[in-house]
Amino acid sequence: MNVDDGQETAVLRRTPPRFITDRPHLLEDAEAALRLGKHLLFRGPTGSGKTRLAETLAERLGLEMESVNCSVDLDLEALLGYRTLGLSEGRTVVEYVEGPVVRAMRRGRMLYVDELNVARPEVLPILHGALDHRRQLTNPLTAEVVTAHPNFCVIAAINEGYAGTSPLNEALLNRFVVFDVSYVQGDALAQLIREATALSDSSQIERFVRFSADLVRASQVGELPAEVASIRALLDACDLSSHMPSLRAIRYAVANKASDPREQDLVMELASGYFSNL
Ligand SMILES: Nc1ncnc2c1ncn2[C@@H]1O[C@H](COP(=O)(O)OP(=O)(O)O)[C@@H](O)[C@H]1O
Ligand SMILES: [Mg+2]
């Protein structure tokens, strides 16, 4: 088999699932807020569909998306760009390469800022002017004032209460309209599993929906870490279980996300209420 053959590798690629939620109005209200020129903050646990929701909104508005993933190392250059040496007519010149914030502002794109509350708080005030009625920032790298295109909008995501996150400062929080995004459950989750995974058997899907409710409950009371309740992990388990016993699929895709063996055991115990090793 030729691994470079496009047809062979194409089967590995999947288009991302349609965003499906059990929250009435979430999608329409978020879209309305963007159309009214607001910036959005999505608050919710890992794997709850925040990025997928932002991508869906960008599609609906016909906007391209620029992304920034915050970390403690995030600095001004990662947001605004950097200077580098280039050649022009045989001479060395200093060139400026735009970063995602400047690109989104100038070209009227959506800026998605993931894990905003992981960034060091002193880096973020540079965004204040871009996010309020001024829609401008002064780029310290070029000393230029950058004015946002009318289509420029920002969606930021935070995952509250995680190690390494800090509460968002009020000045920043003030500039956003806040939407809670929680794990999709119930009939909407069954629909997502049907659309996004290889599972099609209704009773099997129903068992995964109930198992997910147990995981979410256990993570809410702190018995399990949030990664274990992630919908991403559940969808992976559903996919795998079309090719192996569900308990094995759950071990790989869900239980092993926990580092503590007691947490792994709890996941498998919950799963054994719905699935057998056949
Ligand atoms: N409500 C949902 N609708 C569609 N897909 C979802 C939903 N929740 C989670 N997913 C899927 O789970 C995975 C993780 O979602 P993502 O948007 O990256 O989560 P987050 O940004 O909250 O960590 C993606 O593959 C995504 O398609
Ligand atoms: Mg994400």
Side-chain angles (χ1 to χ4, degrees):
M1 185 173 76
N2 178 2
V3 289
D4 289 334
D5 184 327
Q7 284 188 325
E8 289 295 337
T9 53
V11 294
L12 295 179
R13 271 180 233 124
R14 276 268 178 98
T15 48
R18 175 169 77 91
F19 180 76
I20 296 180
T21 177
D22 47 14
R23 295 223 155 189
H25 316 303
L26 173 59
L27 198 53
E28 307 93 273
D29 291 354
E31 182 176 343
L34 282 176
R35 290 192 187 277
L36 289 164
K38 310 299 173 194
H39 304 295
L40 316 186
L41 181 70
F42 292 162
R43 185 167 56 193
T46 183
S48 58
K50 300 182 296 296
T51 302
R52 194 67 206 109
L53 175 56
E55 288 165 353
T56 303
L57 289 163
E59 273 161 39
R60 284 195 173 205
L61 272 75
L63 297 177
E64 284 183 64
M65 196 158 130
E66 295 283 344
S67 294
V68 176
N69 275 301
C70 297
S71 69
V72 285
D73 302 325
L74 184 86
D75 54 17
L76 282 182
E77 292 196 338
L79 295 170
L80 302 179
Y82 55 92
R83 289 164 166 286
T84 180
L85 292 180
L87 272 183
S88 171
E89 294 168 7
R91 295 174 53 190
T92 306
V93 290
V94 178
E95 286 172 353
Y96 162 66
V97 179
E98 287 178 343
V101 174
V102 175
R103 273 199 308 270
M105 287 179 77
R106 287 219 168 112
R107 297 175 205 181
R109 295 179 178 166
M110 173 185 286
L111 176 68
Y112 183 67
V113 188
D114 208 359
E115 307 219 49
L116 183 66
N117 55 341
V118 175
R120 283 172 295 122
E122 60 270 26
V123 183
L124 299 174
I126 189 78
L127 296 177
H128 286 183
L131 285 165
D132 63 29
H133 63 277
R134 291 169 283 177
R135 295 176 63 82
Q136 274 185 345
L137 63 77
T138 305
N139 185 348
L141 296 161
T142 58
E144 266 178 315
V145 174
V146 181
T147 302
H149 181 286
N151 286 346
F152 168 71
C153 58
V154 178
I155 297 183
I158 61 171
N159 197 328
E160 262 176 357
Y162 260 88
T165 64
S166 32
L168 271 198
N169 82 45
E170 217 167 289
L172 193 57
L173 188 59
N174 242 310
R175 289 165 161 83
F176 289 102
V177 174
V178 184
F179 289 86
D180 281 312
V181 181
S182 51
Y183 294 125
V184 58
Q185 295 283 281
D187 291 345
L189 176 56
Q191 182 66 24
L192 177 59
I193 294 172
R194 206 168 289 119
E195 289 187 20
T197 78
L199 270 195
S200 56
D201 178 76
S202 297
S203 70
Q204 187 75 344
I205 291 175
E206 196 45 46
R207 267 179 243 143
F208 271 102
V209 169
R210 284 157 59 197
F211 173 52
S212 175
D214 287 356
L215 295 173
V216 170
R217 225 172 288 125
S219 80
Q220 280 166 349
V221 298
E223 285 174 0
L224 288 175
E227 303 84 73
V228 166
S230 149
I231 296 299
R232 185 202 308 273
L234 191 84
L235 296 178
D236 286 344
C238 290
D239 258 337
L240 292 182
S241 76
S242 67
H243 279 75
M244 63 187 79
S246 299
L247 288 179
R248 232 157 74 206
I250 290 167
R251 158 85 52 203
Y252 299 140
V254 181
N256 286 354
K257 296 260 159 65
S259 45
D260 182 338
R262 280 165 307 182
E263 292 169 346
Q264 295 180 5
D265 289 347
L266 176 56
V267 172
M268 296 316 294
E269 201 183 303
L270 293 172
S272 66
Y274 302 104
F275 304 98
S276 68
N277 236 334
L278 299 175

